[in-house]
Amino acid sequence: MSQESPVAPDADLQDRLCLSLVAGVGPKLQRALIGHFGDAGAVLAASASQLRRVPGIGGKLSETIARARDDNDVAAELALCRANGIQVLTPEMPEYPKRLLEIYDPPGILYARGELRGEDALTIGIVGSRHATHYGATQAERLASALVRAGYTVASGLARGIDAAAHRGALVAGGRTVAVLGSGLLNIYPPEHVDLADEVASSGVLLSEAPPRARPLAGAFPQRNRLISGLSLGIIVIEASLRSGALITARHAMEQGREVFAVPGRIDNPLSKGCHALIRDGAKLIESVDDVLEELGPLARPAPTGDGRTIQHPVELQLNEIEQQVLAAIPAGATTIDEVVRASRLATPQVLATISALEMRRVVRRLGGNTIARA
């Protein structure tokens, strides 16, 4: 009995891309269709009547999907991406951001210009008003610079105001930054940020779930916001009115199980009201990068850093050389202080003092007596 041959990776990519180009088929419907038929190729080969059996697929949309291979020039779209240095990623590819796989509706297709790296698992989003004050822009730049110096990647949306200040702060500090667009990667919005987009792509990555030439439609930006939070361990909100899109990002972050931080502002500034409301509702008030590190708990999975280490807790990014040496001597399970002294090759008083410092940072914990373990 012959086995059915697997779909070639490039054929599957073309089918996934073709399906994503169908107007009205977003991430949730893509997932439902592929879940029903098995793969994107089977979805595109299905008849309109078969497609209508999937919840959410009506008569008009079923006809559009059934014609998708004829209506969409996938080869031309891929050629356009190749010519402009744009990667087309699907969730099955190793380059696809793993943190996005944790959210409810990850993009079926993600376009990337620049380089995604393993250390981008340590990302913090910074969002806020497009009409930022000097104070807000200054805080965004300051926090972004401090975050990248601590080893984080900074994510934002390339918008005017706080977003642009956050990207620039990361770039000035020589760090990595991710910009998630609500338009296509070849249709930068706002247009005055074309040069900034090029800088981001050179030192990080531009991402979008929209085809490269897609226009910036108003409805795409709330959808874009879920990706900023989805990529991040937490979101920092700086200057947001009560109707700000930044609060939508904060809501996505809460729904996705991400941390939410807010920078307080002047009580007579309307742009402070959204941040103050978040703080009243439980967001962490922050004044420095240390406030962010203190709040973030252990990572769900170890993350690589830019210097080749693997960490389990974000605060490890700020450990000095001796603290790193002692922590490296503590295995995954419980151990004794005597064993740490032997493994680290440091003097006992130095190890004891360092373990106390690591306890205060909540990286290690005492289990009683002479026994310790990683937190």
Side-chain angles (χ1 to χ4, degrees):
M1 183 170 147
S2 63
Q3 287 187 321
E4 186 177 346
S5 60
V7 178
D10 57 341
D12 183 58
L13 173 61
Q14 291 183 47
D15 290 336
R16 292 289 290 264
L17 179 57
C18 184
L19 183 59
S20 75
L21 293 172
V22 177
V25 178
K28 286 183 275 191
L29 278 182
Q30 286 180 46
R31 191 167 65 251
L33 285 162
I34 291 172
H36 183 87
F37 289 100
D39 59 54
V43 174
L44 297 171
S47 66
S49 60
Q50 291 172 321
L51 290 164
R52 283 196 293 272
R53 296 172 190 163
V54 179
I57 305 296
K60 186 175 180 181
L61 185 55
S62 67
E63 297 286 349
T64 304
I65 296 169
R67 296 194 312 268
R69 280 182 167 149
D70 295 326
D71 293 347
N72 296 312
D73 192 341
V74 174
E77 199 74 18
L78 287 171
L80 177 70
C81 291
R82 283 193 296 270
N84 289 278
I86 296 171
Q87 282 185 284
V88 183
L89 305 176
T90 66
E92 295 77 21
M93 294 182 176
E95 301 89 346
Y96 191 96
K98 300 297 181 289
R99 203 165 294 283
L100 282 185
L101 298 177
E102 300 170 0
I103 70 174
Y104 172 65
D105 50 353
I109 289 287
L110 191 64
Y111 299 89
R113 180 180 157 221
E115 183 185 7
L116 282 160
R117 295 182 185 171
E119 61 258 40
D120 295 333
L122 294 165
T123 292
I124 297 291
I126 298 180
V127 295
S129 175
R130 288 174 170 79
H131 308 287
T133 66
H134 176 73
Y135 164 80
T138 299
Q139 300 313 310
E141 289 186 21
R142 178 180 68 88
L143 285 167
S145 294
L147 284 165
V148 299
R149 289 192 185 103
Y152 283 91
T153 297
V154 169
S156 199
L158 204 74
R160 300 179 180 100
I162 296 299
D163 289 21
H167 291 305
R168 291 190 177 108
L171 292 167
V172 167
R176 288 185 56 75
T177 184
V178 176
V180 187
L181 278 60
S183 60
L185 299 184
L186 299 181
N187 197 346
I188 300 298
Y189 182 84
E192 67 266 25
H193 285 177
V194 168
D195 290 343
L196 178 59
D198 288 340
E199 290 184 61
V200 170
S202 296
S203 300
V205 65
L206 299 172
L207 297 175
S208 178
E209 61 183 327
R213 292 172 292 195
R215 293 183 294 114
L217 301 175
F221 290 93
Q223 284 289 96
R224 178 275 307 270
N225 292 348
R226 87 191 194 284
L227 301 185
I228 297 174
S229 57
L231 288 163
S232 304
L233 293 168
I235 290 291
I236 298 173
V237 182
I238 305 172
E239 291 194 331
S241 68
L242 291 173
R243 296 171 62 95
S244 171
L247 297 191
I248 296 175
T249 309
R251 187 171 71 245
H252 284 309
M254 293 173 189
E255 292 169 351
Q256 294 164 349
R258 306 320 194 220
E259 297 290 341
V260 178
F261 308 97
V263 175
R266 290 173 53 115
I267 61 173
D268 59 350
N269 181 0
L271 293 179
S272 300
K273 291 188 179 298
C275 293
H276 294 172
L278 286 174
I279 293 167
R280 282 195 298 271
D281 290 342
K284 171 78 172 181
L285 184 155
I286 64 165
E287 298 174 325
S288 71
V289 68
D290 292 333
D291 297 325
V292 177
L293 291 175
E294 286 174 9
E295 192 69 16
L296 294 172
L299 300 171
R301 64 179 72 87
T305 64
D307 59 7
R309 291 182 293 138
T310 298
I311 69 167
Q312 296 176 320
H313 197 299
V315 79
E316 294 177 43
L317 294 167
Q318 288 199 320
L319 301 183
N320 61 36
E321 188 175 341
I322 296 298
E323 289 169 335
Q324 290 179 27
Q325 190 173 343
V326 170
L327 185 62
I330 301 173
T335 190
T336 66
I337 293 175
D338 293 336
E339 289 170 343
V340 176
V341 170
R342 281 194 294 272
S344 67
R345 298 182 180 180
L346 296 170
T348 299
Q350 192 172 26
V351 169
L352 289 170
T354 304
I355 287 174
S356 295
L358 294 174
E359 278 188 282
M360 291 176 64
R361 289 177 175 269
R362 293 182 288 182
V363 178
V364 302
R365 57 195 172 95
R366 291 184 187 266
L367 302 179
N370 196 36
T371 307
I372 60 171
R374 291 191 180 224

